[in-house]
Every structure is written in C-alpha cells, then in structure tokens.
Amino acid sequence: MNVHVAKTVPVEFKMVVDAYQKVRQGGKAAGIDGESWEDFDKKLEDNLYVIWNRLSSGSYHPSAVREVEIPKKDGKTRKLGIPTLRDRIAQQVVKKYMEQRIDQHFHKESYGYRPLKSSKEAIEQVRKNCKEKDWVIDLDISKFFDEIDHELLMKAVAKQIEENWVKLYVERWLKMKVISKEGKEYDRGGKGTPQGGVISPLLSNLFLHYALDKWLEINYPEIRFVRYADDMVIHCESKEQAEALLKVLQERLEQVKLRLNETKTHIVYCKDYRRKEQHKEVQFDFLGFSYEPRRSVVKGSNRHFTSYTAEISKRNQQKITEEIKKTVRWKDTTKQIEEIAENLNSKLRGWINYFGLYGKTSIRKVMLRLERRLMKWIQKKHKIRSVRAAAEKLKIIRQENPLMFYHWEKRYC
C-alpha cells in the first residue's frame, strides 16, 4: 500500500497512526455509528489509511456526535458529545498539530489539558497564592462548553494559526450535528464545543486565553490567578479589590458572550491565625481539594494554631467511599481478600498519590472507612460475632501481607 501520495494538506500517515495510538488508550464509548475499537482494529491499516486520505486531501467531513447526559453534583445533568472513533483520531491529528504551535503562547498560570502542565502544579500554586493574598474570587462560568461563541473562537484560532486547512477542520467540528438520546438531530446554533471531543479542551483553552488570561494580564497585572480549563481561582489583596474585580469580570464575560454563574461564584476570605477579619465565606473547592481554615499543630509541641490549608473535599471523600462500595461485591464471602485488594489497588494508588499531596488526615479517614468495611466482610466470611475479633484477624493478615493493599503499603491507616 502506497501511503506517500502527494496531498494538498500536510498530514502524514504517521501522524494518523500516532493519533490512533493516543486515543486508543482513552474512552471506549462508541459514537453514533456504534463502531467499537474491536471493530475498528479488524481492518486497522485500511481504516487509518481512509482517515489519512480524507484528512490530507481536504475531503474529511465529521459525523454527528452522540449526546449523552451525566449527573452533576448539584443533581442536574451535564451533556457530553461523543464523536465516532474515526473523528476522535482525526481531531487528535489536528489537535497535536495546533498544540505544537500555540501551547507556548498560553499563560503560565493556565494548567488544564496542557502537555507540560498538571493539576498538581495548579493546586500547589493556589496553595502558595493563598498564603500571600488574603482574598479569593472562586469563579464559575455558567455552561461554559455549551456557550462558547463560534465566531469569537474562530477569531482566536485565526490569531494563532495561519493554515487554512486547520481552520477549515476546526470549523467543521464546531458545526457538527448532535444526535440527542431521543434520536433527534439538531445543530448548536453557532455556539458550544462538545465535552467529550478530543480537540475541545484545546479550543476552550484558546478561547479563555484571550477572553480572560490575557485580558487579566494586561488590565490587572497586580492580581494572581490559576486556571484549569474553565475552573478559575483569582487571588486579590483586599475585599474591596475582589468586589470591584468581580463586577468588571461579569461585564467582561458578557462581552465575550459568556455568563457568570452568580450562585456558584464567591468571594472567599483566607482566614488563619494572622487574618482575623469577619467574612461569611472562608472556604472554596478547587480540583477536588477544599481550602479552608484548619487547626494545625506546631511541630515538636502541643501548641495549636489556625492555618489555611488544602485537604480532600468532603464531596470527594464521599465519592471515594461510594466507589469503594461499588467496586467490590461486599456480600460475596466466597472470594478471598487478595481478590478485593486486586480490585481496589489501582484506584487506591490514584486517590492516595493525588489527595495525599496535602492534608493527609482526611484521606486517612476515608481509608479507615475501608478498614471498617473489610472488618465487616471478615465477620461475615469467617462467621465471627465480635468486631474486635474481626479487627484482630485483619491485623494478622496485614502483618503477614503488609503490601497487600496500597493504603497499607503507604501506611494510610
């Protein structure tokens, strides 16, 4: 098969292969065509060749996206748009091409979905900023991915990318039809980029780079901020500065055809032993952590003081507890405890390595809930009446196999 035919668009076959390898590691949900990765892989080279041929000739047109709804923490639902596997590969090709050219221009305090940035860096920067700045604007943009204006977004793309073929494909993805769960087809009406699309995070970063990051840098160089996708925390010197800036931010969002979610946007006071003003809001959540005043101990003494620190949020503590309950069939006493560990360890590793960054006390409490669940399972399996006897048996198992569970290995209980 000759894959070196001259084409009008500079997309090489290897770029398509690399894109396939990248998205193949991601989600398995099928698009509107119902094609699974197993189906696609049956004629892998032929399928990749077709994608390359269409991309490189300018004849590529995406399919509609399949709309699904997932629950949000407020009880409402969020709509995701699931592209076909072929469209995901094509988007990854263009995303990487764009990313290599524009990521270097993004603001240093933009951390989300960037190749050399991470959520851990964002959390650490917020922690540092809270030590130095007394006030925070916990900013929430209403339905951001649904409301991005296509015309403004294409202006941002044109500002960074000269190649017409890139702009052509981005515009086609923005105009993709949507198939609702009832099977009805509709278009986006000139706004929105589907959450679930491979290229959507990059486009959202590009939009907010001009809508907020660059605008804040130019007009308010004295303030600090940290942004992870559309999740943004802005640090101010005083309450007056925060209130004035929030009012201007609302106007700015309206200028770029976005809306402030007033019920979820708060001005927060970083209260600690040094900062003793009275303010109703002293807590905010960011990337799974809760920042708030907490009792801390002076090292090497029995003295206490109030510090403003980050620990896993109560919502995420509950999510982990529910995930532990769901992952293991706790009523099944025919299995061995090694099987439970095997089912849980990859999740435990992820939770502990992330939420153990700061404030280990709260994540330890979650692990203790797991210990209690293990004791109840041991009681049922071995028909032990006494909780104390079950605890003793679990202690013996742990002594004999201290690396069986990841939280045992890391001593989180």
Side-chain angles (χ1 to χ4, degrees), residues 129-130 132-137 224 233-243 267-270 275 277-281:
N129 289 347
C130 285
E132 298 176 20
K133 303 279 187 179
D134 294 357
W135 296 85
V136 160
I137 300 173
R224 295 180 191 172
V233 175
I234 302 171
H235 303 264
C236 301
E237 293 283 356
S238 66
K239 182 180 180 182
E240 292 73 25
Q241 185 187 48
E243 289 173 340
I267 293 176
V268 178
Y269 182 48
C270 303
R275 302 180 281 205
E277 291 186 35
Q278 295 300 313
H279 186 72
K280 182 181 178 182
E281 301 281 355

Side-chain angles (χ1 to χ4, degrees), residues 3-219:
V3 295
H4 301 292
V5 181
K7 294 291 182 178
T8 58
V9 173
V11 172
E12 299 175 359
F13 185 69
K14 184 179 185 303
M15 294 164 66
V16 178
V17 174
D18 291 344
Y20 160 78
Q21 291 173 344
K22 175 71 174 178
V23 298
R24 184 67 172 84
Q25 300 169 10
K28 297 181 180 179
I32 59 164
D33 59 0
E35 185 177 39
S36 68
W37 284 119
E38 289 72 22
D39 296 332
F40 186 88
D41 290 347
K42 288 175 183 177
K43 295 184 178 180
L44 179 59
E45 188 173 4
D46 289 344
N47 289 332
L48 294 178
Y49 181 85
V50 169
I51 296 170
W52 170 75
N53 189 50
R54 290 175 181 172
L55 274 176
S56 58
S57 64
S59 62
Y60 165 77
H61 289 271
S63 304
V65 297
R66 181 172 65 88
E67 186 176 80
V68 297
E69 295 182 353
I70 60 171
K72 293 168 64 177
K73 60 183 178 182
D74 59 6
K76 298 180 181 178
T77 58
R78 175 183 286 111
K79 292 181 178 179
L80 299 183
I82 309 299
T84 64
L85 306 185
R86 295 164 190 261
D87 285 335
R88 277 178 243 175
I89 294 169
Q91 286 187 24
Q92 176 62 28
V93 170
V94 179
K95 178 200 168 197
K96 186 172 182 180
Y97 186 91
M98 291 177 67
E99 202 168 55
Q100 290 171 339
R101 286 153 180 80
I102 68 177
D103 186 78
Q104 60 186 313
H105 299 296
F106 286 159
H107 198 282
K108 65 183 180 68
E109 300 302 353
S110 168
Y111 293 87
Y113 306 108
R114 296 183 60 189
L116 299 177
K117 296 278 192 174
S118 71
S119 56
K120 291 181 180 181
E121 290 177 299
I123 294 159
E124 173 62 13
Q125 191 58 54
V126 169
R127 191 183 71 86
K128 289 179 179 178
N129 289 347
C130 285
K131 284 185 176 181
E132 298 176 20
K133 303 279 187 179
D134 294 357
W135 296 85
V136 160
I137 300 173
D138 181 16
L139 189 74
D140 191 280
I141 302 171
S142 180
K143 298 180 179 178
F144 170 67
F145 282 91
D146 296 332
E147 299 291 333
I148 295 177
D149 183 79
H150 289 179
E151 184 179 351
L152 291 177
L153 178 53
M154 288 308 301
K155 285 183 179 179
V157 172
K159 188 88 172 176
Q160 293 283 347
I161 298 290
E162 293 182 359
E163 293 92 330
N164 287 328
W165 68 271
V166 175
K167 291 181 276 189
L168 173 70
Y169 286 146
V170 169
E171 190 167 27
R172 285 179 184 173
W173 282 315
L174 292 176
K175 292 181 177 179
M176 283 189 299
K177 301 290 186 181
V178 180
I179 306 296
S180 70
K181 62 180 182 179
E182 293 81 21
K184 295 180 180 179
E185 182 180 280
Y186 68 93
D187 62 47
R188 296 187 172 276
K191 62 181 183 180
T193 179
Q195 282 184 275
V198 172
I199 204 168
S200 292
L202 177 63
L203 296 179
S204 66
N205 267 340
L206 182 57
F207 189 94
L208 287 175
H209 172 72
Y210 288 107
L212 287 178
D213 301 356
K214 201 71 180 172
W215 180 82
L216 283 167
E217 182 182 62
I218 293 169
N219 295 286

Side-chain angles (χ1 to χ4, degrees), residues 189-327:
K191 62 181 183 180
T193 179
Q195 282 184 275
V198 172
I199 204 168
S200 292
L202 177 63
L203 296 179
S204 66
N205 267 340
L206 182 57
F207 189 94
L208 287 175
H209 172 72
Y210 288 107
L212 287 178
D213 301 356
K214 201 71 180 172
W215 180 82
L216 283 167
E217 182 182 62
I218 293 169
N219 295 286
Y220 298 91
E222 73 280 4
I223 67 97
R224 295 180 191 172
F225 69 87
V226 173
R227 183 173 66 77
Y228 194 95
D230 62 327
D231 201 351
M232 193 169 195
V233 175
I234 302 171
H235 303 264
C236 301
E237 293 283 356
S238 66
K239 182 180 180 182
E240 292 73 25
Q241 185 187 48
E243 289 173 340
L245 180 56
L246 181 55
K247 185 176 180 180
V248 179
L249 278 167
Q250 187 167 9
E251 295 170 359
R252 173 59 181 172
L253 288 173
E254 290 172 358
Q255 288 173 3
V256 295
K257 301 184 181 180
L258 294 173
R259 292 176 294 125
L260 186 74
N261 188 331
E262 296 185 43
T263 59
K264 294 184 179 179
T265 297
H266 307 283
I267 293 176
V268 178
Y269 182 48
C270 303
K271 189 171 185 177
D272 62 13
Y273 74 97
R274 298 174 294 117
R275 302 180 281 205
K276 300 180 180 180
E277 291 186 35
Q278 295 300 313
H279 186 72
K280 182 181 178 182
E281 301 281 355
V282 294
Q283 180 270 337
F284 68 94
D285 288 353
F286 183 68
L287 299 182
F289 285 84
S290 175
Y291 294 75
E292 60 185 276
R294 289 186 173 89
R295 192 185 190 203
S296 298
V297 179
V298 178
K299 287 185 179 180
S301 75
N302 293 322
R303 290 181 294 148
H304 298 84
F305 67 100
T306 301
S307 61
Y308 199 81
T309 59
E311 288 196 8
I312 178 176
S313 67
K314 290 180 180 178
R315 175 173 171 262
N316 279 281
Q317 291 178 44
Q318 186 60 37
K319 281 177 68 176
I320 291 175
T321 301
E322 290 171 0
E323 188 67 22
I324 289 171
K325 182 179 178 181
K326 185 173 66 175
T327 301

